[in-house]
Every structure is written in C-alpha cells, then in structure tokens.
Amino acid sequence: MKNKTDVLIIGGGIAGVSTLYHLTKMGLRDVMLTEKLELTSGSTWHAAGNLPHFSNSYNIMKLQQYSIDLYSRLQAETGQPVDHHQTGAVRLAHTQDRMDEFKRVAAMSDLAGLDLEIIDNDRLKEIYPFLDTTGLIGGLWDPADGHIDPTSVTNAMAAGARAAGATIVRHNPVESIEQQANGRWKVTTEKGVIDAGIIVNAAGFRCNEVAEMIGHRLPVCSMEHQFVVTDNVPELEERDTMLPMLRDPDVSYYLRQEGKGLILGPYEKGGIPWAIDGVPAAFGQELLQPSLDRIEEIMCTAMEQVSIIGNAGIKTTVNGPITYTPDGHPLIGPVHGYDNYFVCTGFNFGIVQGGGAGHFMAQWIVDGHPELDLFELDPRRFGSYADHEFSVAKGTEVYANEYQLGFPNEYAMRPAKRGQKQSPIYSRQAEKNAVFGAYFGWERASWFAPKGSEPMEQHSFRRGNWFDAVAAECKNVQNNVGVLDLSPFTKFEIEGEDAHRWLESFSPNRIPTEAGNIALAHPLTKDGGIAWEFSVTKLNDGRYYMMAPAAGELLIEDKLRTRLPKDGSIKLTNITQDYGTLVLAGPNSRKVLAKLTDSSLNNSDFPWFTGQEITIAGVPVRALRMNFVGELGWELHHPIEHQVALYDALMEAGKDVNIRDFGLRAMDSMRLEKGYSMWGHDLNVEFSILESNLSFFVKMDKGEFEGKSALVKEKSAGVKQKMVLIEVHSNDVDAASGMEPVYHNGKAVGQVSSGGYGHRCQKSLALAYIQTEYLDKELTVQILGTHYPVTPLKGAPYDAKGALLKSDN
C-alpha cells in the first residue's frame, strides 16, 4: 500500500468513488481512496437506484442532471456495464398546491435544458395504463428519469479512476487521524500509515466515526428505509418495454419496475432512526429487520391506485440505513475550523446525487469553489446548535416530509427542535403574535399576525395569509416608524496596525480610514464571482466592526481566518453572540431616537452612511445610519445584555408615533422596492460583481484585490448578462420562489433571483439576471405555468433618488 498521497478519500460508496474519479478528470493522479470493507458496502449497495431530475432547488436539479448525464456515457467510457434504464417517470398531483409545485419545477427545468412536462389525466393514463386517476388533477412527466444499478455504476467510476492512476485500497479501516504542524494529515489504517495533503470524509453512515477521530461531529443521522420487491407481475411479463417510474408525493411513495416485478418504496410518518448511539463495529453489507406494519397503509393506497401491485406476492423486503442531515441535503464542502479537510456525505438520494457530488467536490479541492453556488450543501450552513440530538430529531422530521411541498419558508417553520437560538426580545415579539422561522438556528420573526389570529403561516406558492399583515407592516414603516430585530447578523471586530491593508487585500471597495466611515464590500472569487459580502465601520479606537449575512457566519469566519497573517498581527474576534442589532426605520425614527439620546442626529452632525458610538436610553450603542428598507433610519448595534432595555425604551418613546415591529417578509418587500440585492439569493459565485450590477462598489484604481484581473478581462470583453430590477405585470401572483425563467419570444434569456410584492409602490417586483441583448425587447416571466409581461426598471420604484434615506426631518 502506498503511504503518501495528495488527496485521501475515506469511504468507498458512490460519493467517495465519484470524488476520486472526478479528481482524476481534473488532472490529479496522486489520489487515493481507502474503504473499511468492499466498495458500496454501506448504503450504496442496497439503494433503489432511482434517478430523478426533480428538485425544488435549481442547483440540486443541476447536480442531479450532471449525474444522470455522466451515467448515460459511463459504460462507453469505461467499458463497465452500469445497467442504466431511462424509463421516464410520472409524478401525481392530487391538489392545486402540488400542481403549482410541478409548474414551478417544470419552468426551472427549462432553464436547465430539461424537458419536464405538465400533463393531464388522459396523458397520465396513456403513459401509465395501470394507473387509476381517480382523485388526480394531473401530473408531471420527465422522459429522462429512470434508474440504475448502484453497485455497477460505482464500480464503473472506480475502474475509470484506477485507469487514470488513482489508488483504491479495500478492507482497510481507518484507526486514527491527526493533523500535522505542516497542515498535512497522518491517517493510521489497518494496513499502515498514510501521509495525506487533503482528506475527504465520504464515510456515509460512519462519517461521524471519522469526524470524531478529527475532533468534531457532523449533523448526520441514519434512518431505516424500506422498500418492497414483488414477484413477477403477469401484466409486466406481457410487456416488451419497461413501465415508467411512478411517484405519488401526496401519498408518499415511489414505484418502479424491477425485472418483471415492481419495487414499492414508501416514506412513512414515524420513521425510525438507526444506530443513534453509534454504528455497530461489525455492521457491514447487511440489512435490517423488515417492519411492514409501518408502511402497510401507504402500500394499501398504492395498490388502490395501481392495482397490478396486488397481482404478485412480496419477493423480498429491503430495510437498510440511509443518512439524513437536518434539512435533507447532503454535506459537500470544507469543514469549519479546519484546513485541508472536506466532507462529501449525508446523502439520502445518494445514487442520483453521487456523480454530481463528486464532480463539485473535486472542484472544491482543485479550484477552491464549485462552479455552482452550492451553499445550500455546504456543511457550514449548520452551526454548533446542530448537535446529535438536533440532527436525529430533524432527520426524522425530514424523512416524514420527504415529499413535502417545497413552499417558501416551509422548512424554516417546521416544529422539531425549535428555539435553538433566540434574541432576548423573542418573548416580546411572541407576545405580539410574531410568526417565527428558524434560520441558522435563530428564531426570527417573519411577520406579525393580527391580534386574535393564530400566529401560523398557511404556506403557498401564491399570496398567502401573511400578505395583508406584511402590507400593514410596510405601510407603518413608510408612514410612521418600525423596529426590526437583526441580531443574527454575523459580527466581527478586527484590530491590528495593519488591519486596513489586510481588509483592502480582499475588498474590491475602499476600506474606511476615518472613524465613523462605512464601506460595503463584496469579496470575489478568482473568477470575479461574489463569494460573500460585508459592511465595515471604523471605530473611534481604530478597530473595525464588520457585519455580514447571518447564515454565512461559519463560511465567512473561515474565509477571514485563512487570510490572517501567520505572525498574529491581526486579531479577529467573532462577537455575533455578544452584540444585538435593532433596526429603527421610518420618517419618525429621528424623533424617537431624539427622546433617548443627547447626541445630535441631524444631517450635518450625523450624515447618512456613517456611524457613531453613542448612548441611547443609557445603553452604549454603535449607531449606523443605514438600513435595508430605504427609509430614514439607524441600525442600533448594542451589547446583547442590554437589548430588552433598549427595545422597551424605543417602544415607549415611539408610542405617540405608532411604532410597531416588522419582520423579515416586510424587510424583503421593501428592499426589493429599492433594488437592493441580497447575498445567497441574488449574489453568489456564479455571477460576477459586474453582472450583478454592483460596479459602484468596485474601485479598479485601488491596489490589488482577489478577482481583480478577472474583472479587467470581463470589462474589456463586455458584460453578457446583468441583474436588473423588473416589474411583473401580475395582479395575484409574484416571482417569490426564485429561479422563474425570463423569456423573449419563447426563448429563455434570464432567470429571477428573488422577487415579491412591493407594498409601498404596489408593484410586483423581481431581481433577475437577463442577457443584455434582450433588455430592450419584450420580455415575460413564467410563474406557476403562466407567462406575465415584465418591464425592466431604470431605477428604484420607491424613492429612486434616496431622499428619504438622507432626510433631515
């Protein structure tokens, strides 16, 4: 066995083998994989092997599309059989909400170059003649769906990797892992010690055994999943072609042909977590004891819908463990706090995602980031709150909701393991009927339900029960004054004599040199894409106060940490938990603050987009005159222990001007009216800062910064697409889910990044990336199956010149 390698992958399931294969495709040859037993002996070997394109996430759809395209050519490339059956698949809709979901996903598929089709019951019956369509309103047809043999496709990628020079060592369990002073890893295995530059934890349901050797845990649990394989079905024995796959998400099962029989796989409520106290050491290529009573009800319903299921006996029941993360998406990317350590694990759809996962994992390792924005799969999307108990509870919840409708905000409002992080005024907001969602563990007020009504969101792809309440919140901010809790903001303090130069090295914008000045900056990838964003204020004592998106806390901390000078001359302190943030916004905000502070708040003494350290109601506050809603206002950053006192003082001082709370939905509505783009929705690595229409924040005449050379080339060649604010001419629906396609004469020429309704200007709005050559042509956007005319706007539809932000009233 070789004892030194550039990259060592731990785990020989489909994700690990795919990563090895794709590293060789990117030119790496000194790469190695070690497996405890045989390849595929974890969850891969007993997987059903289904290959759907369908996803409510565009980039997960793209990842799965990559896998399926790869598998279709893998046999020709490697000479290894993969047993790929492209049968097509139907999904059934019992409700209008489900049909709305299908229409949204079908539109996204158009952007991906796929051919998903909304079909009626007659077409359903034509495609699947054994289906009883009673109670259905239609369905979704994907002609390129199908299934594959998991072991064969994994072995084909292994053959391809070996042929390219990679090393695979089987029956070689890892015993210990230790990072050396030079950053390399000492990995002790049964067959010897391996010196690895980079390690990838792809150990499937044993991923936490590997993680614990390193010193951490991953938010992953295992769930029992059963599917039934039938004997031969007489009706299938008479057919020359395979039946398409069938999924009924409302009943919660999938059904596909296997030989001349069928596989029926339900996802039942009350799923069973497996091995929560640790995987038995001797557990290998094994199955668990079946428990058909758990899935009997779903099976009976399936037999009513597809009667031929009952025409054959049960040949076998497969019950095996599959991994689940708290949100049901895998973990692909770097691990917070470590260098040269990645994970590629936590798959509950591992076969259809394995090929793409290995592709993007290899890009992480070689290029520093994948070509797609895959933050939704980045392990750093979970914080320390996602402990073992949390992971088991949320994984169980995800399993029960495997086919849940992909409504906006639905996942954030699920009940399991809520209240992980709360700001001190949580109880105050709850008393005011706040409807909370959990984001990065934080309980955040999405909107405030009217008094006397249940604080519960009725999820929808259309305008729901929040619409009027959010309108009232926006109007109150516009006419009076409102308070928004943004305490989950990521916050850092940076100090050191060279702090300014250090910040300048990765900021395309100029960093303040004078106390009280503020800058907004967007660090870039080497290709000019937007990696993250932050605002930074210089404090009176020379330190810098940085704020960044709440969900990106761990990712951003890693990006800053890895850039720190080795000599310790720059000190970085994460104060996210130590400081709260209340936003006071509206035309009466100055009147409210004036009652609580002796500091002058007029324009000459406290200009827009500057900050001061002042005292408000006896509380020391870093007051920043800026906000994300486009009104006169301040962000009030304060020691968290003073939050309740500050909040109560603001509410008391604002009683006579009708001060009210507002939530994230209202903030989102108002920021769209100003055309303010948001990281994670509108801004990401896939689009350059020039395409994102943020050239104002790029100072090409300053010193070098990461990504600058790419921008020089792009500026010379010309920007081919640009983010613009568009008005959607619709009276009852908004582009609120994101990734709605923009068309010109039936051709997709752009995509929405975020959208919603602007209650102050009373327009349906969206931010969209559109090819520049089409910006002056007739355009439509497809929302839930209908095309609506759109108009690109030249400026913000609300206070275009920013007079309200800079008001001296």
Side-chain angles (χ1 to χ4, degrees):
M1 183 187 77
K2 65 185 291 185
N3 59 15
K4 189 172 184 179
T5 187
D6 290 340
V7 182
L8 175 66
I9 297 158
I10 302 171
I14 192 167
V17 172
S18 176
T19 300
L20 187 75
Y21 169 85
H22 283 95
L23 285 170
T24 66
K25 287 295 182 182
M26 296 191 73
L28 275 67
R29 296 292 178 263
D30 188 9
V31 290
M32 184 175 179
L33 181 148
T34 184
E35 160 58 36
K36 176 182 173 72
L37 298 170
E38 289 285 352
L39 297 184
T40 78
S41 63
S43 295
T44 299
W45 76 274
H46 62 71
N50 304 329
L51 298 178
H53 288 105
F54 185 97
S55 176
N56 276 289
S57 161
Y58 178 68
N59 278 347
I60 292 177
M61 178 186 285
K62 292 285 289 181
L63 183 150
Q64 294 173 179
Q65 179 185 22
Y66 177 91
S67 295
I68 296 168
D69 288 348
L70 169 67
Y71 301 162
S72 69
R73 63 178 188 271
L74 201 56
Q75 183 167 325
E77 176 192 322
T78 66
Q80 300 291 312
V82 298
D83 200 22
H84 182 199
H85 301 275
Q86 195 171 69
T87 61
V90 292
R91 286 176 185 258
L92 311 181
H94 294 253
T95 67
Q96 185 57 52
D97 281 338
R98 185 66 70 183
M99 189 58 79
D100 281 350
E101 178 186 56
F102 288 175
K103 289 176 180 178
R104 176 179 176 266
V105 172
M108 282 200 309
S109 78
D110 200 20
L111 290 172
L114 297 170
D115 192 25
L116 274 63
E117 177 189 355
I118 300 296
I119 57 177
D120 61 18
N121 283 357
D122 289 341
R123 180 77 170 124
L124 270 175
K125 192 75 175 176
E126 178 186 335
I127 293 171
Y128 208 100
F130 305 110
L131 174 67
D132 181 352
T133 58
T134 302
L136 301 177
I137 62 172
L140 181 70
W141 166 241
D142 178 1
D145 203 320
H147 62 273
I148 199 165
D149 178 61
T151 299
S152 296
V153 72
T154 303
N155 285 331
M157 286 190 285
R162 286 192 187 100
T167 300
I168 296 176
V169 184
R170 296 170 300 134
H171 300 285
N172 188 38
V174 172
E175 297 172 347
S176 67
I177 303 173
E178 180 183 353
Q179 191 162 32
Q180 307 298 294
N182 63 1
R184 294 181 66 86
W185 295 91
K186 177 184 177 183
V187 182
T188 302
T189 74
E190 187 177 278
K191 295 182 179 180
V193 175
I194 303 169
D195 174 9
I198 291 170
I199 58 174
V200 180
N201 182 348
F205 56 62
R206 293 191 184 274
C207 65
N208 269 317
E209 295 177 22
V210 174
E212 286 169 354
M213 294 179 194
I214 295 167
H216 73 107
R217 280 194 63 88
L218 292 167
V220 176
C221 75
S222 294
M223 299 293 299
E224 294 187 16
H225 176 58
Q226 302 181 93
F227 60 82
V228 171
V229 184
T230 74
D231 293 320
N232 285 2
V233 177
E235 291 84 351
L236 298 185
E237 291 179 324
E238 297 172 1
R239 291 175 60 91
D240 296 326
T241 59
M242 271 193 164
L243 271 180
M245 182 117 183
L246 182 147
R247 297 178 182 87
D248 191 329
D250 293 317
V251 179
S252 194
Y253 72 89
Y254 58 85
L255 180 70
R256 74 162 175 84
Q257 188 167 338
E258 175 73 4
K260 292 298 182 179
L262 293 165
I263 284 179
L264 172 62
Y267 290 95
E268 72 277 13
K269 304 294 183 184
I272 306 297
W274 177 75
I276 58 176
D277 296 323
V279 179
F283 189 87
Q285 199 163 350
E286 302 173 46
L287 293 174
L288 308 175
Q289 186 67 31
S291 179
L292 286 178
D293 58 319
R294 298 207 313 262
I295 59 175
E296 181 180 6
E297 183 178 348
I298 297 175
M299 290 176 62
C300 289
T301 303
M303 285 188 279
E304 292 174 5
Q305 292 178 298
V306 184
S307 60
I308 63 170
I309 300 172
N311 295 346
I314 294 177
K315 181 178 181 180
T316 186
T317 301
V318 175
N319 184 14
I322 53 176
T323 53
Y324 273 78
T325 65
D327 61 7
H329 296 321
L331 307 176
I332 305 173
V335 177
H336 172 60
Y338 293 92
D339 297 326
N340 305 322
Y341 173 36
F342 298 82
V343 296
C344 189
T345 193
F347 295 85
N348 52 306
F349 290 104
I351 307 308
V352 73
Q353 294 177 350
H359 173 63
F360 295 117
M361 183 75 266
Q363 290 182 341
W364 259 120
I365 293 168
V366 177
D367 296 335
H369 65 87
E371 65 192 78
L372 299 181
D373 173 35
L374 293 180
F375 182 70
E376 63 194 305
L377 307 183
D378 194 308
R380 295 168 294 188
R381 70 188 186 272
F382 297 112
S384 59
Y385 63 89
D387 58 14
H388 181 56
E389 182 182 344
F390 179 92
S391 300
V392 172
K394 295 300 285 186
T396 303
E397 183 181 58
V398 169
Y399 182 87
N401 289 276
E402 190 63 75
Y403 287 120
Q404 176 60 259
L405 287 151
F407 294 124
N409 288 332
E410 185 277 328
Y411 171 77
M413 294 180 178
R414 290 182 186 175
K417 297 301 291 182
R418 295 291 295 274
Q420 296 299 306
K421 293 190 282 187
Q422 299 174 354
S423 64
I425 63 167
Y426 171 85
S427 61
R428 296 284 200 275
Q429 294 177 315
E431 291 168 0
K432 296 178 180 180
N433 234 20
V435 179
F436 292 99
Y439 304 92
F440 195 60
W442 288 96
E443 291 293 333
R444 306 186 68 176
S446 181
W447 55 286
F448 291 81
K451 288 182 180 179
S453 64
E454 184 182 13
M456 182 74 67
E457 183 160 315
Q458 296 168 11
H459 302 295
S460 176
F461 295 105
R462 300 171 185 270
R463 295 173 185 172
N465 66 327
W466 63 84
F467 189 81
D468 291 341
V470 171
E473 292 173 30
C474 294
K475 290 298 180 67
N476 193 68
V477 172
Q478 178 185 18
N479 298 319
N480 301 303
V481 62
V483 174
L484 170 69
D485 182 13
L486 286 183
S487 297
F489 260 152
T490 296
K491 312 173 197 76
F492 297 99
E493 288 179 344
I494 300 158
E495 57 184 303
E497 289 185 7
D498 212 18
H500 179 266
R501 184 206 60 77
W502 181 69
L503 289 166
E504 283 272 325
S505 71
F506 56 83
S507 169
N509 201 359
R510 290 193 177 88
I511 299 299
T513 57
E514 301 294 328
N517 286 350
I518 301 173
L520 180 62
H522 305 81
L524 307 177
T525 67
K526 64 182 180 182
D527 304 315
I530 296 177
W532 52 291
E533 69 175 345
F534 67 89
S535 66
V536 63
T537 305
K538 188 165 187 181
L539 302 176
N540 293 336
D541 60 8
R543 290 179 299 163
Y544 284 94
Y545 178 50
M546 176 185 286
M547 294 169 297
E553 180 181 347
L554 301 187
L555 177 148
I556 293 165
E557 185 172 81
D558 276 348
K559 290 185 177 295
L560 293 171
R561 176 186 58 81
T562 56
R563 288 172 169 82
L564 288 172
K566 302 300 182 185
D567 61 7
S569 58
I570 304 293
K571 182 181 179 182
L572 174 72
T573 306
N574 187 332
I575 61 167
T576 300
Q577 300 281 352
D578 302 323
Y579 264 68
T581 303
L582 297 178
V583 176
L584 184 72
N588 290 317
S589 56
R590 183 179 277 117
K591 294 177 184 177
V592 173
L593 278 189
K595 295 180 180 181
L596 303 173
T597 183
D598 294 330
S599 299
S600 175
L601 302 172
N602 60 44
N603 276 359
S604 58
D605 295 327
F606 204 146
W608 176 70
F609 219 64
T610 64
Q612 294 184 25
E613 297 169 73
I614 65 177
T615 300
I616 300 174
V619 175
V621 172
R622 294 171 180 174
L624 309 181
R625 193 175 162 191
M626 63 181 188
N627 62 75
F628 208 45
V629 302
E631 300 283 354
L632 172 68
W634 281 262
E635 291 180 0
L636 307 176
H637 300 256
H638 52 276
I640 197 68
E641 63 269 21
H642 297 301
Q643 182 168 84
V644 172
L646 179 60
Y647 175 84
D648 287 348
L650 291 171
M651 287 297 172
E652 181 63 29
K655 282 168 60 176
D656 60 345
V657 288
N658 200 33
I659 194 169
R660 285 183 56 188
D661 297 87
F662 66 102
L664 295 179
R665 277 194 177 275
M667 182 196 75
D668 203 47
S669 168
M670 290 186 279
R671 66 101 183 172
L672 283 169
E673 292 174 307
K674 295 293 292 179
Y676 293 159
S677 50
M678 182 182 291
W679 179 81
H681 295 273
D682 312 299
L683 310 176
N684 59 59
V685 297
E686 295 179 43
F687 301 99
S688 79
I689 196 167
L690 302 182
E691 291 174 323
S692 302
N693 215 7
L694 296 175
S695 58
F696 175 80
F697 298 103
V698 180
K699 304 300 186 286
M700 298 297 286
D701 59 346
K702 72 187 282 288
E704 285 300 313
F705 56 86
E706 293 175 34
K708 184 176 181 179
S709 60
L711 298 187
V712 171
K713 292 178 182 177
E714 183 182 15
K715 202 168 186 179
S716 174
V719 176
K720 299 294 190 296
Q721 59 185 339
K722 183 176 285 189
M723 183 169 68
V724 295
L725 182 64
I726 58 175
E727 179 181 354
V728 180
H729 299 286
S730 161
N731 295 320
D732 60 354
V733 69
D734 308 297
S737 297
M739 294 312 301
E740 292 85 354
V742 177
Y743 294 89
H744 169 67
N745 288 343
K747 176 185 176 182
V749 298
Q751 63 196 54
V752 168
S753 53
S754 64
Y757 190 78
H759 292 281
R760 294 176 299 188
C761 67
Q762 298 191 357
K763 296 179 184 293
S764 183
L765 302 168
L767 288 166
Y769 286 93
I770 300 175
Q771 296 173 32
T772 52
E773 63 182 291
Y774 295 100
L775 286 175
D776 60 350
K777 302 185 184 302
E778 289 188 0
L779 300 170
T780 64
V781 61
Q782 186 182 169
I783 306 173
L784 304 182
T786 300
H787 285 258
Y788 297 90
V790 302
T791 303
L793 302 176
K794 300 298 184 184
Y798 183 76
D799 188 30
K801 296 183 178 180
L804 296 175
L805 283 165
K806 304 169 187 176
S807 170
D808 205 16
N809 293 332

